[in-house]
Amino acid sequence: KKFTQKAVESLAAEAGLKVVAYQRYNLLPRNLTRRLLPWVATSNWLCLALDRLDVFLGKCFPWFCNQIYFCAEKPV
């Protein structure tokens, strides 16, 4: 199930937490890339380039990303 930012914030609030970061990522499938282009996985600069491209595309097309992350903290 894909959770919206609002849903994550609501669930966190129910648990007494506040979401401080939320982002969608993994528009570019890493496992598929590793299988089709194994030389990419051993190249540091190509991995960095793919990571940055993934961040950019994730911000442009968040609804196509298949992962989210969030960071929540307990309010003081």
Side-chain angles (χ1 to χ4, degrees):
K1 176 174 179 166
K2 288 189 178 184
F3 290 94
T4 63
Q5 184 171 356
K6 188 174 181 176
V8 169
E9 289 172 349
S10 176
L11 289 169
E14 289 177 21
L17 302 171
K18 179 183 176 190
V19 174
V20 294
Y22 173 94
Q23 185 172 340
R24 292 184 177 271
Y25 71 99
N26 200 18
L27 188 124
L28 301 174
R30 297 297 198 276
N31 289 339
L32 183 60
T33 304
R34 187 176 298 228
R35 277 189 228 133
L36 296 177
L37 307 168
W39 51 272
V40 171
T42 60
S43 172
N44 288 339
W45 71 270
L46 280 175
C47 286
L48 180 61
L50 278 176
D51 286 342
R52 291 192 176 171
L53 179 61
D54 191 47
V55 168
F56 173 76
L57 292 174
K59 288 182 179 184
C60 294
F61 308 103
W63 51 91
F64 289 115
C65 295
N66 61 13
Q67 300 291 323
I68 64 165
Y69 78 82
F70 68 94
C71 181
E73 64 184 12
K74 190 167 190 151
V76 178

